[in-house]
Amino acid sequence: MSQLTERGTTLSSHGRTAARRSSAIGTAVISGVTAAGLGLGALAVAVLLLWVASPYPDSGPSRALHLAAGLWFTAHGGGLVREATSSGTPAPVGTVPLLLVALPVWLLHRATRDTLATAALPEPAGDPEAPAAAPEVAPRTLLGALLTGYLLVAAGALLYTSTGRLSAAPLAALLAVPGTAFATVAATAWHTLGPDAAALLPDRVTRALDALPAALRAALTGPRLRTAGKAAAAATLALLAAGTALALLGLLLHPGRFGDDLGQLAPDWVGRSTVLLLCLALLPNAAVWGAAYGLGPGFAVGTGTAVGPLGTSPRPALPHFPLLSGLPEPGPGAWPVVVLALVVPAAAVVQLARYAAGDGHRSWRRTAGTAALAAGLCALAMTVLAGLAGGALGERALASFGPSGWLTGLVTAGWTGLVAVPGTLGLRAWRRSSVHRAAPGRTPGRHLPDLPLRRRAGHRTPKDAAGPEPRPEAGRAPRPKEDGDRGSREDRETREPAA
């Protein structure tokens, strides 16, 4: 009888374990579905509101929903295909509004963080004072379930947008959506777990990492990588901030052209609001274009064109879009423009050296290695951003828009590697010398031993002669002075009653 009871208890515990495992995996799948659904829903609501407010809606809500789904795929880096063209040939639309990328990335980041928190905090045992039991499901399994739920919604949205005037490019969507989702989940896991996130990698990758030299493995997983990551992030943000300033300065120098383009593109207030929202979504793209302009390689505004600080080539007729109204006129660049453009790499160099130098206590080799690693990460980030910020807007003359990804990354590596690394070493030396100067030192020469100095009895002050005041005993309040006590002149005047 006891054997049957023990067997039933064992089977029941296994059943509860399987149920908790299934529940955790199902929750992760639902989290992925929710993250994708919220992104689609937010874009659908925005597009439908603009469609309702439009005084001349030329189609039903189905076209607006197709546009929302296409924008969702564009936010992941995928391209669109415009079927309705004047030539009858489908035209690609490859420019990604970088501000829209923040929506799916933020939703996936939150879902991944909550999933990792669930995996890291298992349910305790029956006794509330007993230690927590091991997690029932591995974090790798939960993250795989999260990605599965997200990609299931993406597959349904791809089937929905396969027809229509503006549809998602199938090949680009199949590559961009899983790539963006996987990169976001991996970055969130690394940010949440730190070096422990390496345990989430497949066994083959882990064995390959273990086979690397110890110095390289320590550089990729140790605190040096975190310091280099902060320096690279600061340098990249400085590049984007300086690029934004250049783009806005170009628009401020041509206010009339901006108003004319806005009026020709949208005559009513709803259309103008839509165009301004699109300009806001493309403002990070303009920041990347401005950063590429300041770094030197510039960007293209059509096939065979170039816009840079040293000069601007003749360009074809461009669409009347307000953000393009700040482009410089064709011709050689003036020296004030060149000097102003140097603010972009200077800002990146200063920020990278500031974070990579630290407090100056590391060795010069470790400091130089950290700065070089930060320069490589900054160049990689600018390569990705430049590749996403540009793309085709059509065919022939409109087939090339924006900066070149590999050229922008190469020039960024040159600026940060050749200028920021020596600057980091110089800043380290200056900080070390500042610390040595601020430390209490002795002047060179002969010094007397450190002995306590005693005053002579004839040179005692009245305060020294009186000796230290007696401290009150613990737990007993100090005794107030009475009228017969000797005190200072101020105390006696205070105790005397007013006449």
Side-chain angles (χ1 to χ4, degrees):
M1 184 68 180
S2 60
Q3 294 178 355
L4 293 176
T5 304
E6 293 176 357
R7 184 179 180 184
T9 304
T10 304
L11 292 176
S12 179
S13 62
H14 285 314
R16 288 195 298 269
T17 301
R20 286 196 297 268
R21 179 182 176 87
S22 301
S23 177
I25 294 176
T27 303
V29 173
I30 293 175
S31 298
V33 172
T34 303
L38 287 176
L40 279 169
L43 292 176
V45 168
V47 173
L48 285 176
L49 285 177
L50 293 175
W51 175 78
V52 170
S54 176
Y56 306 107
D58 56 349
S59 61
S62 176
R63 185 177 177 183
L65 293 177
H66 276 80
L67 177 60
L71 290 177
W72 187 77
F73 280 107
T74 305
H76 291 79
L80 299 177
V81 178
R82 185 162 51 92
E83 299 291 342
T85 58
S86 57
S87 61
T89 304
V93 181
T95 303
V96 179
L98 293 181
L99 189 61
L100 293 182
V101 179
L103 178 62
V105 168
W106 179 69
L107 292 172
L108 265 175
H109 168 73
R110 287 182 57 89
T112 305
R113 188 185 60 185
D114 296 342
T115 302
L116 289 176
T118 304
L121 297 175
E123 296 181 359
D127 188 4
E129 297 182 359
E136 302 293 345
V137 187
R140 185 192 305 177
T141 305
L142 293 181
L143 293 182
L146 173 69
L147 289 174
T148 301
Y150 195 88
L151 295 180
L152 284 176
V153 178
L158 183 60
L159 291 177
Y160 179 73
T161 59
S162 59
T163 58
R165 295 185 178 182
L166 190 63
S167 60
L171 182 59
L174 291 176
L175 295 177
V177 176
T180 302
F182 181 80
T184 305
V185 169
T188 304
W190 182 267
H191 181 267
T192 304
L193 303 178
D196 296 337
L200 302 178
L201 298 174
D203 296 336
R204 295 181 179 179
V205 180
T206 305
R207 288 193 297 267
L209 291 176
D210 293 338
L212 295 176
L216 182 59
R217 189 169 60 252
L220 294 177
T221 59
R224 184 185 302 182
L225 181 61
R226 291 194 294 271
T227 305
K230 292 180 181 179
T236 305
L237 290 177
L239 285 174
L240 296 179
T244 304
L246 287 181
L248 294 179
L249 180 62
L251 294 177
L252 291 176
L253 293 177
H254 304 88
R257 192 189 304 174
F258 182 88
D260 293 341
D261 291 342
L262 183 62
Q264 293 182 14
L265 195 61
D268 56 333
W269 67 271
V270 177
R272 293 179 182 178
S273 301
T274 305
V275 173
L276 290 178
L277 287 177
L278 183 58
C279 291
L280 181 62
L282 290 171
L283 185 60
N285 299 60
V288 178
W289 290 28
Y293 180 88
L295 288 171
F299 53 89
V301 289
T303 304
T305 62
V307 179
L310 299 180
T312 302
S313 62
R315 54 179 179 264
L318 299 177
H320 294 283
F321 192 68
L323 278 183
L324 298 178
S325 61
L327 293 176
E329 297 293 337
W335 68 266
V337 177
V338 177
V339 173
L340 186 62
L342 289 177
V343 176
V344 176
V349 167
V350 169
Q351 290 298 321
L352 192 146
R354 175 188 174 190
Y355 282 87
D359 53 3
H361 291 296
R362 293 193 300 268
S363 64
W364 68 270
R365 291 184 179 180
R366 292 182 62 87
T367 303
T370 302
L373 183 58
L377 293 177
C378 180
L380 179 62
M382 289 303 299
T383 301
V384 175
L385 289 175
L388 291 176
L393 293 179
E395 294 181 334
R396 298 177 183 177
L398 302 179
S400 178
F401 262 80
S404 172
W406 67 270
L407 186 58
T408 303
L410 184 62
V411 175
T412 303
W415 276 109
T416 54
L418 299 179
V419 181
V421 174
T424 303
L425 294 177
L427 182 59
R428 169 191 172 272
W430 181 79
R431 287 182 176 178
R432 286 179 65 88
S433 62
S434 300
V435 171
H436 289 317
R437 288 195 303 267
R442 301 186 182 276
T443 58
R446 187 176 179 181
H447 297 283
L448 296 176
D450 293 336
L451 296 176
L453 300 179
R454 297 181 179 179
R455 295 191 181 97
R456 296 180 181 179
H459 295 280
R460 290 184 179 181
T461 61
K463 184 176 180 180
D464 295 333
E469 296 182 358
R471 296 182 179 180
E473 297 180 4
R476 180 180 299 177
R479 181 176 63 87
K481 294 183 179 181
E482 298 179 359
D483 295 339
D485 295 341
R486 297 179 61 184
S488 62
R489 181 179 179 183
E490 290 80 1
D491 295 337
R492 291 196 301 271
E493 291 176 358
T494 305
R495 287 196 301 268
E496 291 179 1

